[in-house]
Amino acid sequence: MFDLATRRIVGATVFMLATVITIGMVWLTEEQRMARYEAIHKAKAIENGALIYEQYCVTCHGSQGEGVPGKGPDLNPGVFQHYEELKQTQNYANSLRNFIMLSIAAGRPIRSTYRSEEIYAEPMPTWSQDFGGPLRSDQIENLVEFILNWQTAAAAPTPPPAFEAMGSDLTKPLPPGDPKRGEALWNQEVKQASGLPASCKACHSLNPGEVLVGPSLAGIATTAAQRIQASDYKGQAKTPEEYIRESIQQPNAYIVDPNQFAAAPGVSKMPATLGNQMSAQDLADLIAFLMTLK
Ligand code: HEC
Ligand code: HEC
């Protein structure tokens, strides 16, 4: 038989083991409970963020964060690209989460150099109540979750269709243009090869004389013929098609009425990067459509 001392030691050991196991089990289920709670909390935050985004942000950044020409840059994937760029070129040390949070909270009263070729009507407003804006810090956190969620969604790869961008090269040959598809591109019923929506009509009305950001393109085929004959036109001899092509791929080559349409001396309010979004076919079709506007 065991003596009393041995029985005490065995008893104490059993008790200790039982305690450790019990604490371990409680701790494990607590872990799971917390993880579940966090997942639900995060889903709620994204949902709230989507509602706030809908109310305050879509007008300038688009419903999917695709950006709105002349109003605000794309956030999806723009904000992630911008952050990567800052990390690489400026040794920027903040987290992505903080970068997005600060961009929203304090706004951008001063234009950053990122996408500086884009012209925006107004700067990014200040949103945090701490800086005189309308939103509480929990609402800003919800917005951050919502925007971060785009990156999670984007991580599932859908390879973009390969296409060769026209850029600013005026010498690449163009295929025959289809004015019907050009019109559909203009009306954003079909997409450009880049997958980004055509953005011309955000800045150009087709009603005679109506100025949005740029001049009306009503009668542009006729106007183009007049432009290339005007005394201030310094380009080489061009056809109206070539003039329109140059206007799209190299807006700064000739700026219509610089007093009204230049953002700075020699810099058109029309972005110089639209050629990067277009295949040769997109460009040919747009030109063919514009040439029907006599
Ligand atoms: C009046 C138009 C406007 C509204 C409304 C607006 N923004 Fe912006 N936003 C901008 C502009 C313009 C920029 C680019 C500023 C710059 O040049 O740095 C910007 C930049 C940003 C950036 C930084 C992007 C980057 O890559 O650096 C974030 C993030 C952002 N906005 C989020 C939001 C959110 C969230 C809302 C809604 C609460 C919102 N914005 C509402 C115009 C707007
Ligand atoms: C952010 C605004 C903006 C966008 C987007 C834009 N444009 Fe422009 N566009 C302008 C401005 C401003 C001018 C006048 C200054 C100049 O000559 O560059 C202009 C000029 C032109 C001209 C010359 C007009 C003339 O009377 O001689 C053509 C053609 C033209 N744009 C076509 C397009 C097409 C096609 C697209 C879409 C692929 C487009 N633009 C997108 C702002 C814009």
Side-chain angles (χ1 to χ4, degrees):
M1 264 305 169
F2 301 114
D3 62 20
L4 187 65
T6 314
R7 266 193 268 159
R8 280 220 180 116
I9 292 169
V10 171
T13 313
V14 168
F15 176 75
M16 250 179 61
L17 273 175
T19 313
V20 167
I21 290 170
T22 314
I23 291 175
M25 279 168 63
V26 170
W27 181 72
L28 268 180
T29 48
E30 178 65 11
E31 276 269 273
Q32 287 167 351
R33 215 174 59 79
M34 282 303 290
R36 224 180 10 246
Y37 172 78
E38 266 166 31
I40 292 170
H41 183 73
K42 193 167 166 182
K44 266 259 164 285
I46 294 171
E47 229 175 272
N48 286 342
L51 292 176
I52 303 167
Y53 184 88
E54 185 68 33
Q55 187 181 349
Y56 291 103
C57 322
V58 274
T59 47
C60 294
H61 292 294
S63 61
Q64 306 299 316
E66 71 277 19
V68 177
K71 303 215 77 175
D74 61 316
L75 302 178
N76 176 22
V79 66
F80 308 111
Q81 286 170 351
H82 188 189
Y83 174 71
E84 287 305 322
E85 210 178 288
L86 285 173
K87 265 204 318 195
Q88 275 158 28
T89 61
Q90 316 278 324
N91 288 326
Y92 185 76
N94 245 320
S95 66
L96 173 61
R97 178 176 289 273
N98 276 342
F99 173 67
I100 296 176
M101 196 270 287
L102 287 170
S103 301
I104 301 172
R108 292 266 170 81
I110 297 168
R111 216 32 198 95
S112 73
T113 52
Y114 182 64
R115 309 243 161 123
S116 55
E117 74 283 1
E118 306 266 333
I119 311 294
Y120 304 118
E122 290 167 63
M124 163 75 173
T126 293
W127 292 102
S128 165
Q129 287 177 354
D130 295 344
F131 298 95
L135 300 180
R136 296 185 312 268
S137 59
D138 61 299
Q139 293 177 305
I140 291 182
E141 270 164 36
N142 290 344
L143 278 169
V144 174
E145 288 297 349
F146 175 66
I147 290 172
L148 280 172
N149 189 50
W150 276 327
Q151 193 190 34
T152 325
T158 34
F163 86 103
E164 207 192 326
M166 286 310 288
S168 58
D169 185 350
L170 301 177
T171 63
K172 277 187 205 161
L174 294 188
D178 171 1
K180 276 260 161 298
R181 182 171 177 279
E183 184 173 14
L185 263 177
W186 180 273
N187 289 318
Q188 308 187 10
E189 289 154 1
V190 293
K191 287 204 162 170
Q192 286 157 291
S194 67
L196 296 169
S199 53
C200 320
K201 75 173 185 179
C203 291
H204 293 290
S205 167
L206 296 183
N207 298 328
E210 186 182 14
V211 171
L212 300 178
V213 178
S216 161
L217 295 189
I220 183 63
T222 311
T223 317
Q226 291 161 357
R227 296 266 190 249
I228 50 184
Q229 269 148 31
S231 57
D232 67 337
Y233 187 69
K234 295 189 201 70
Q236 307 129 315
K238 282 200 164 60
T239 63
E241 283 94 338
E242 285 168 341
Y243 171 79
I244 293 176
R245 176 173 181 175
E246 180 189 74
S247 299
I248 298 172
Q249 289 182 277
Q250 297 186 5
N252 298 335
Y254 171 80
I255 301 177
V256 176
D257 189 0
N259 287 333
Q260 192 177 6
F261 296 120
V267 182
S268 171
K269 287 186 182 172
M270 178 158 159
T273 51
L274 292 174
N276 299 341
Q277 303 179 4
M278 284 179 217
S279 69
Q281 191 67 58
D282 293 336
L283 181 59
D285 295 347
L286 271 171
I287 295 172
F289 165 60
L290 293 176
M291 283 303 295
T292 65
L293 308 177
K294 301 246 152 77

